[in-house]
Amino acid sequence: MGIAIRRVGRYDSRNIATRKSQLGETQPMKTRITEMFGIEHPIIQGGMHFVGLAELAAAVSNAGGLGIITGLTQRTPELLAKEIARCKEMTKKPIGVNLTFLPVMAAPDYPGYIKAIIDGGVKIVETAGNNPQKWLPVLKENGIKVIHKCTSVRHSLKAEQIGCDAVSVDGFECGGHPGEDDVPNMILLPRAADELKIPFVASGGMADGRSLVAALAMGAEGMNMGTRFIATKEAPVHDNVKHAIVAASELDTRLVMRPLRNTERVLTNAAVERLLKKEKELGANIKFEDIIAEVAGVYPRIMQDGEMEAGAWSCGMVVGLINDIPTCKELIDRTMAQANEIIRQRLARFAA
Ligand SMILES: Cc1cc2nc3c(=O)[nH]c(=O)nc-3n(C[C@H](O)[C@H](O)[C@H](O)COP(=O)(O)O)c2cc1C
């Protein structure tokens, strides 16, 4: 894996941190997303398998963002109910739960998971994967706001049409599943803004105040971060994962499973290179069974045990912008301070 060469520029997080005191306390920012979810800052922590546990969700929410527990990381609805209760002991602020609808034959117990969400008093659900239409009536009846994750304008419009409250628009740079269209956020976000009536957040490649201001400029009402939140003090993952993120550059992610139309952006390692070799050799004949060793059951080994060569795990190109392991509060405060500084000083100068 490549070792990043880091330049400390004007907008490096360390400079912003030292300037923060001059900027005063972090001001809340009002957008349609903060209003909808009852949060102070338009920053969401996206659901992440074996990362989005109670500790991280509570830390993000306590810092004024929206923390999200990853539903399917909990093996049963009963375990999800316990995780929600555990999170609610750590924060009184709004939290969300991610429900990923997988394209598999043996579907997880979705009605059970939804019951755990409703009974747990959670009022925000981040859906992802397959169309969530079937589950919207029960969520709506229980006063739950739904933000659906989409990798294209057409899926975003569909989400709006079926009654989702908001969308999270995930560009090609994102960690996880960017879809098959390969449209980066520089194009996808303004396209979404041109078409959508419901509010959306920018997702994929978001790291700091620059990302937030750019997202707002392109029509988003906030941003969703995945990879950036893994490298925080509270993320309940092995230190090896956090250090791998800090060490990696923007050149170190790969796209796997494209021939299976299940493209995933992952951090490169020996298993990923092996997987890509198989994809090259087997071509269109490749089947999921051929790559099981590199993708199945990988997350607990990576995230909990820190076995960094165990297999393919989601990671965004934004690793190139991640240089440190702050607390969630430090990360969110400095992001808001930087965003405010850019808006009030740098951009105001151009407009003057
Ligand atoms: C390790 C990891 C695991 C993820 N797991 C899920 C998941 O289970 N469900 C989901 O909807 N998105 C998942 N995502 C996607 C994130 O929620 C988010 O959309 C994405 O990370 C945004 O891109 P970024 O990493 O550039 O910030 C995952 C991302 C990462 C990095």
Side-chain angles (χ1 to χ4, degrees):
M1 196 167 69
I3 300 296
I5 298 169
R6 291 288 151 80
R7 218 160 47 90
V8 179
R10 179 166 184 269
Y11 284 111
D12 185 274
S13 53
R14 282 157 288 199
N15 291 352
I16 290 295
T18 50
R19 276 208 305 273
K20 220 187 82 189
S21 55
Q22 301 158 14
L23 294 162
E25 276 304 297
T26 314
Q27 296 293 319
M29 182 185 275
K30 229 185 199 185
T31 74
R32 288 167 75 195
I33 285 291
T34 61
E35 298 285 284
M36 180 179 286
F37 295 147
I39 54 179
E40 286 155 65
H41 307 302
I43 299 175
I44 300 177
Q45 164 250 313
M48 289 181 281
H49 202 34
F50 279 89
V51 183
L53 303 178
E55 289 80 4
L56 180 60
V60 173
S61 289
N62 280 333
L66 178 67
I68 292 187
I69 294 172
T70 315
L72 296 188
T73 297
Q74 304 302 322
R75 275 180 292 103
T76 63
E78 292 70 35
L79 289 172
L80 177 60
K82 281 193 187 144
E83 196 66 8
I84 291 170
R86 213 162 68 78
C87 192
K88 289 199 148 193
E89 268 168 28
M90 291 185 261
T91 184
K92 298 289 164 250
K93 303 254 180 95
I95 54 165
V97 171
N98 170 284
L99 271 184
T100 303
F101 297 111
L102 300 167
V104 291
M105 299 294 275
D109 178 7
Y110 288 119
Y113 283 106
I114 289 174
K115 187 171 183 307
I117 291 168
I118 294 168
D119 292 349
V122 172
K123 294 293 176 201
I124 303 160
V125 166
E126 178 196 50
T127 53
N130 286 354
N131 185 329
Q133 186 164 17
K134 184 173 161 189
W135 311 105
L136 288 183
V138 63
L139 294 170
K140 293 284 177 125
E141 278 158 27
N142 286 280
I144 292 172
K145 297 278 182 212
V146 176
I147 177 164
H148 187 56
K149 195 179 293 175
C150 304
T151 57
S152 69
V153 174
R154 66 184 183 286
H155 290 146
S156 304
L157 281 170
K158 184 75 192 168
E160 176 175 279
Q161 187 208 326
I162 64 174
C164 291
D165 299 284
V167 285
S168 190
V169 176
D170 234 6
F172 182 51
E173 25 329 43
C174 75
H177 294 271
E180 311 302 326
D181 290 349
D182 300 357
V183 182
N185 268 335
M186 207 68 190
I187 310 295
L188 194 55
L189 299 176
R191 280 284 298 121
D194 284 345
E195 303 265 352
L196 288 172
K197 291 185 200 66
I198 55 172
F200 66 95
V201 295
S203 180
M206 304 288 134
D208 53 27
R210 294 172 299 183
S211 322
L212 178 57
V213 176
L216 296 172
M218 286 190 276
E221 301 277 332
M223 69 176 178
N224 179 65
M225 300 196 288
T227 306
R228 174 63 267 195
F229 275 119
I230 307 177
T232 58
K233 292 222 163 61
E234 296 93 339
V237 303
H238 198 285
D239 277 349
N240 289 354
V241 180
K242 302 181 189 186
H243 293 146
I245 287 175
V246 170
S249 89
E250 64 276 21
L251 303 177
D252 293 327
T253 71
R254 300 286 181 271
L255 294 175
V256 298
M257 294 192 282
R258 174 130 280 184
L260 297 165
R261 290 190 66 76
N262 185 29
T263 302
E264 182 180 0
R265 187 178 294 285
V266 300
L267 191 68
T268 189
N269 61 25
V272 168
E273 295 308 321
R274 210 164 54 234
L275 196 169
L276 289 172
K277 193 159 168 271
K278 285 185 194 176
E279 287 185 0
K280 206 168 168 192
E281 284 167 6
L282 295 169
N285 296 325
I286 197 162
K287 291 189 284 307
F288 185 69
E289 297 76 66
D290 297 317
I291 57 166
I292 273 189
E294 284 80 26
V295 298
V298 167
Y299 274 81
R301 290 175 62 195
I302 298 273
M303 297 300 176
Q304 292 169 352
D305 306 336
E307 272 185 64
M308 298 314 293
E309 305 294 319
W313 60 281
S314 295
C315 180
M317 281 181 155
V318 73
V319 276
L321 295 175
I322 301 173
N323 304 312
D324 61 356
I325 305 172
T327 65
C328 290
K329 180 158 170 53
E330 283 162 354
L331 177 63
I332 290 180
D333 280 354
R334 80 185 185 202
T335 295
M336 295 310 301
Q338 187 182 30
N340 275 310
E341 189 199 17
I342 295 172
I343 294 167
R344 286 171 213 277
Q345 295 180 23
R346 183 173 161 79
L347 298 186
R349 269 203 310 278
F350 293 131

